[in-house]
């Protein structure tokens, strides 16, 4: 906005502006002819924000041409100046009060405006909604109220205009207030105030009008100054999207540095941090800057690198936060408002790339809550897809959990874009996390189970005959850490003891079953492993597999896919889990026989195999 202010009404006005003052962007909405331009013109005039002589000049022109003076003409005249390359933007005006500078937008139905609002290029912190007292609530009064709610503008004041046309009758005002309050409440918007005004005459704009002695609330200017500015990002909780992880190689040590730009808040060496969505923890050892002195602290807007007290194994894309700060949400389901710009509509069943902070994940449209046609501003609840230039409230489901804030809590981590075919096709704001019980993923498992045709042999009968429970044993760890040797010993000893055990490593699968997949499709890898495990354990087997580079979410997916049989997770060497605790933790390259003892002992303890087995 500071940049915008430089192009303000006229140079001498700019010079009088104190840039250190607070700034606020507001939007004015309302039905056609209800008086938006008049309110703006009046605000500019009453705050002495007009170029010198402009008002008189326009009044004079009106007199000469025998037209009644309109504030809309005044704004048009200012726009004309802009056309000559001198002053203001078509949709924006600037004025100032004792408290702050305002930029007011007057084009809420405009596609550019909507696009800017949802993608974050423009953000209105408050809105004035104008209703004609004589005409009452009209269609656009409703649509605009709805739009404000969708755009997340929560500070709203309703101006009941043209009170002069209804003799400043309190009853007319109260009736509109009652009806419109109920409507806005249904949209989740609670207006701060309703103000009876007559913009044409300046009533209750800058000064209290004697005609509305019954009204004790603020004037429009007082209300504007009472709106709160959004907090400066430095005052918000610390959020650091990890763009890159570098390894120090020069000193031959294992230290890593996490690089990126601090999105909000501040942090200092010694602070405990958490990485999300992996939930890994560490403590900041140092704050590094490229060719700048070390200060030990970093705050929002700074591009920095962090080193840590403990070794961390995190991937770029995670969000680093201060452990003691309010935490972001972590979920695979997000409720969001999006503005769609893609040539192809946003549809269900298609995979898009969602970019939020440093995270990049595959996302699908799980549900459309409602769609607002941006040009018509018609709301529709039964649309099956989101067309170009629609604004929609949707539920998105990501292939992996991501960390985010709601737009109200944090702008930087509450916005995202959707990429379709390498192009940004939509921008959105996060409204919140959604319960994942109804996720598409779980739904697909439920569907699979309902189509699964089984014979008459019950799982309990099978277990009785085989002498053991079915079980999935996943052995995880980095490559070449002895997973395969261990798996083979376990398989051999179980089979020797008469158990139905079978080992298949992920590398076997990569060569065979998943040969058609690229390495990047690790999501699909995991899904297929989970499905395969489900068949094996459903057949009553103890299925053993080895896999490298898995995290908490991968294990959770495999667990869900494999259910109802249970999973045992064995780690060999360092593992990449955050909150998840493996069942058996072994050192790298363990002595296979002893390590197998430990795993079999665990299975015995869980009654997978009988205590009397000597395996
Ligand atoms: N009597 C009376 N007329 C008003 C008042 N405010 C605005 N008007 C008149 O209402 C008409 C519409 O006002 P505008 O300010 O142009 O309305 P608008 O909402 O900007 O209209 P659009 O931009 O076309 O949507 C004009 O003729 C104004 O003079 C008021 O307080 N009292
Ligand atoms: Mg207008």
């Amino acid at each position: 906005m500071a940049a915008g202010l430089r192009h303000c009404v006229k140079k001498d006005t700019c010079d009088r502006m104190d840039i250190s003052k607070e700034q606020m962007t507001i939007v004015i909405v309302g039905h056609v002819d209800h008086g938006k331009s008049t309110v703006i013109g009046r605000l500019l005039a009453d705050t002495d924000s007009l170029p010198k002589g402009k008002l008189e000049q326009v009044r004079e022109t009106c007199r000469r041409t025998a037209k009644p003076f309109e504030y809309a003409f005044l704004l048009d005249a200012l726009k004309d100046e802009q056309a000559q390359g001198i002053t203001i933007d078509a949709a924006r005006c600037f004025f100032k009060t004792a408290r702050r500078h305002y930029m007011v937008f007057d084009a809420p139905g405009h596609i550019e405006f909507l696009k800017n609002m949802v993608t974050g290029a423009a953000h209105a912190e408050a809105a004035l909604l104008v209703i004609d007292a004589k005409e009452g609530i009209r269609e656009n009064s409703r649509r605009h109220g709805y739009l404000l709610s969708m755009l997340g503008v929560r500070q709203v004041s309703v101006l009941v205009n043209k009170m002069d046309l209804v003799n400043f009758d309190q009853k007319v005002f109260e009736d509109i207030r009652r009806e419109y309050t109920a409507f806005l409440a249904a949209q989740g918007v609670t207006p701060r105030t309703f103000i009876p005004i007559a913009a044409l005459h300046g009533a209750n704009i800058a000064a209290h009008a004697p005609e509305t002695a019954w009204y004790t609330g603020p004037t429009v200017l007082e209300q504007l100054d009472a709106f709160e500015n959004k907090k400066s990002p430095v005052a918000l909780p610390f959020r650091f999207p990890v763009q890159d992880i570098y390894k120090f190689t020069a000193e031959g040590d294992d230290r890593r540095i996490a690089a990126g730009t601090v999105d909000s808040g501040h942090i200092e060496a010694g602070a405990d941090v958490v990485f999300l969505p992996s939930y890994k923890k560490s403590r900041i050892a140092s704050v590094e800057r490229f060719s700048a002195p070390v200060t030990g602290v970093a705050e929002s807007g700074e591009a920095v690198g962090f080193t840590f007290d403990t070794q961390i194994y995190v991937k770029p894309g995670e969000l680093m936060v201060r452990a003691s700060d309010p935490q972001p949400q972590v979920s695979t389901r997000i409720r969001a408002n999006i503005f769609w710009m893609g040539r192809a509509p946003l549809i269900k069943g298609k995979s898009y790339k969602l970019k939020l902070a440093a995270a990049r994940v595959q996302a699908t449209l799980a549900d459309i809550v409602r769609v607002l046609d941006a040009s018509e501003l018609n709301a529709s609840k039964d649309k099956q897809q989101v067309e170009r230039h629609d604004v929609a409230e949707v539920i998105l489901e990501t292939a992996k959990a991501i960390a985010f804030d709601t737009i109200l809590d944090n702008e930087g981590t509450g916005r995202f874009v959707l990429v379709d075919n390498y192009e940004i096709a939509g921008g959105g704001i996060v409204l919140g996390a959604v319960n994942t019980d109804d996720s598409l993923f779980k739904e697909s498992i439920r569907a699979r189970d309902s189509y699964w045709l089984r014979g008459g042999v019950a799982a309990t009968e099978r277990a009785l005959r085989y002498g053991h429970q079915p079980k999935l044993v996943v052995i995880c760890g980095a490559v070449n850490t002895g997973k395969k040797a261990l798996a083979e010993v376990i398989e051999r000893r179980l089979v020797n003891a008469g158990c139905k055990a079978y080992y298949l490593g992920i590398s076997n699968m990569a060569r065979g079953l998943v040969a058609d997949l690229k390495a990047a499709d690790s999501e699909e890898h995991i899904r297929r492993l989970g499905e395969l495990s489900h068949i094996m354990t459903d057949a009553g087997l103890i299925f053993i597999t080895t896999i490298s580079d898995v995290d908490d979410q991968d294990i959770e997916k495999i667990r869900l896919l494999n259910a109802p049989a249970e999973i045992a997770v064995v780690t060999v060497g360092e593992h990449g889990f955050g909150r998840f605790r493996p069942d058996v933790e072994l050192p790298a390259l363990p002595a296979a026989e002893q390590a197998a003892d430990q795993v079999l002992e665990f299975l015995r303890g869980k009654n997978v195999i009988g205590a009397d087995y000597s395996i």
Side-chain angles (χ1 to χ4, degrees), residues 36-38 72 75 106:
K36 299 176 293 293
S37 299
T38 310
L75 299 186
D106 178 21

mmCIF file with all atom_site columns, all heavy atoms in Angstrom, residues 36-38 72 75 106, ligand 2:
data_model
loop_
_atom_site.group_PDB
_atom_site.id
_atom_site.type_symbol
_atom_site.label_atom_id
_atom_site.label_alt_id
_atom_site.label_comp_id
_atom_site.label_asym_id
_atom_site.label_entity_id
_atom_site.label_seq_id
_atom_site.pdbx_PDB_ins_code
_atom_site.Cartn_x
_atom_site.Cartn_y
_atom_site.Cartn_z
_atom_site.occupancy
_atom_site.B_iso_or_equiv
_atom_site.pdbx_formal_charge
_atom_site.auth_seq_id
_atom_site.auth_comp_id
_atom_site.auth_asym_id
_atom_site.auth_atom_id
_atom_site.pdbx_PDB_model_num
ATOM   1  N  N   . LYS A 1 36  ? -22.596 4.683  -3.380  1.00 0.00 ? 36  LYS A N   1
ATOM   2  C  CA  . LYS A 1 36  ? -21.187 4.402  -3.073  1.00 0.00 ? 36  LYS A CA  1
ATOM   3  C  C   . LYS A 1 36  ? -20.282 5.572  -3.470  1.00 0.00 ? 36  LYS A C   1
ATOM   4  O  O   . LYS A 1 36  ? -19.468 6.034  -2.672  1.00 0.00 ? 36  LYS A O   1
ATOM   5  C  CB  . LYS A 1 36  ? -20.719 3.131  -3.814  1.00 0.00 ? 36  LYS A CB  1
ATOM   6  C  CG  . LYS A 1 36  ? -21.481 1.888  -3.435  1.00 0.00 ? 36  LYS A CG  1
ATOM   7  C  CD  . LYS A 1 36  ? -21.067 0.689  -4.258  1.00 0.00 ? 36  LYS A CD  1
ATOM   8  C  CE  . LYS A 1 36  ? -21.428 0.807  -5.718  1.00 0.00 ? 36  LYS A CE  1
ATOM   9  N  NZ  . LYS A 1 36  ? -22.869 0.794  -6.017  1.00 0.00 ? 36  LYS A NZ  1
ATOM   10 N  N   . SER A 1 37  ? -20.460 6.035  -4.721  1.00 0.00 ? 37  SER A N   1
ATOM   11 C  CA  . SER A 1 37  ? -19.591 7.122  -5.194  1.00 0.00 ? 37  SER A CA  1
ATOM   12 C  C   . SER A 1 37  ? -19.795 8.375  -4.356  1.00 0.00 ? 37  SER A C   1
ATOM   13 O  O   . SER A 1 37  ? -18.845 9.114  -4.091  1.00 0.00 ? 37  SER A O   1
ATOM   14 C  CB  . SER A 1 37  ? -19.879 7.435  -6.658  1.00 0.00 ? 37  SER A CB  1
ATOM   15 O  OG  . SER A 1 37  ? -19.616 6.299  -7.430  1.00 0.00 ? 37  SER A OG  1
ATOM   16 N  N   . THR A 1 38  ? -21.038 8.601  -3.960  1.00 0.00 ? 38  THR A N   1
ATOM   17 C  CA  . THR A 1 38  ? -21.324 9.791  -3.157  1.00 0.00 ? 38  THR A CA  1
ATOM   18 C  C   . THR A 1 38  ? -20.634 9.690  -1.791  1.00 0.00 ? 38  THR A C   1
ATOM   19 O  O   . THR A 1 38  ? -20.067 10.664 -1.296  1.00 0.00 ? 38  THR A O   1
ATOM   20 C  CB  . THR A 1 38  ? -22.848 9.974  -2.996  1.00 0.00 ? 38  THR A CB  1
ATOM   21 O  OG1 . THR A 1 38  ? -23.451 9.892  -4.294  1.00 0.00 ? 38  THR A OG1 1
ATOM   22 C  CG2 . THR A 1 38  ? -23.184 11.299 -2.367  1.00 0.00 ? 38  THR A CG2 1
ATOM   23 N  N   . ALA A 1 72  ? -20.337 11.586 -7.936  1.00 0.00 ? 72  ALA A N   1
ATOM   24 C  CA  . ALA A 1 72  ? -19.809 10.656 -8.942  1.00 0.00 ? 72  ALA A CA  1
ATOM   25 C  C   . ALA A 1 72  ? -19.060 11.418 -10.041 1.00 0.00 ? 72  ALA A C   1
ATOM   26 O  O   . ALA A 1 72  ? -18.057 10.932 -10.559 1.00 0.00 ? 72  ALA A O   1
ATOM   27 C  CB  . ALA A 1 72  ? -20.940 9.827  -9.540  1.00 0.00 ? 72  ALA A CB  1
ATOM   28 N  N   . LEU A 1 75  ? -15.603 12.125 -8.859  1.00 0.00 ? 75  LEU A N   1
ATOM   29 C  CA  . LEU A 1 75  ? -14.711 10.972 -8.991  1.00 0.00 ? 75  LEU A CA  1
ATOM   30 C  C   . LEU A 1 75  ? -14.344 10.744 -10.449 1.00 0.00 ? 75  LEU A C   1
ATOM   31 O  O   . LEU A 1 75  ? -13.202 10.422 -10.762 1.00 0.00 ? 75  LEU A O   1
ATOM   32 C  CB  . LEU A 1 75  ? -15.363 9.711  -8.404  1.00 0.00 ? 75  LEU A CB  1
ATOM   33 C  CG  . LEU A 1 75  ? -15.703 9.773  -6.913  1.00 0.00 ? 75  LEU A CG  1
ATOM   34 C  CD1 . LEU A 1 75  ? -16.202 8.427  -6.433  1.00 0.00 ? 75  LEU A CD1 1
ATOM   35 C  CD2 . LEU A 1 75  ? -14.502 10.209 -6.076  1.00 0.00 ? 75  LEU A CD2 1
ATOM   36 N  N   . ASP A 1 106 ? -13.522 0.758  -5.071  1.00 0.00 ? 106 ASP A N   1
ATOM   37 C  CA  . ASP A 1 106 ? -14.933 0.867  -5.440  1.00 0.00 ? 106 ASP A CA  1
ATOM   38 C  C   . ASP A 1 106 ? -15.227 -0.010 -6.655  1.00 0.00 ? 106 ASP A C   1
ATOM   39 O  O   . ASP A 1 106 ? -15.786 0.443  -7.624  1.00 0.00 ? 106 ASP A O   1
ATOM   40 C  CB  . ASP A 1 106 ? -15.264 2.341  -5.742  1.00 0.00 ? 106 ASP A CB  1
ATOM   41 C  CG  . ASP A 1 106 ? -16.707 2.545  -6.184  1.00 0.00 ? 106 ASP A CG  1
ATOM   42 O  OD1 . ASP A 1 106 ? -17.556 1.688  -5.895  1.00 0.00 ? 106 ASP A OD1 1
ATOM   43 O  OD2 . ASP A 1 106 ? -16.977 3.568  -6.841  1.00 0.00 ? 106 ASP A OD2 1
HETATM 44 MG MG1 . LIG B 2 .   ? -20.543 4.724  -8.269  1.00 0.00 ? 2   LIG B MG1 1
#
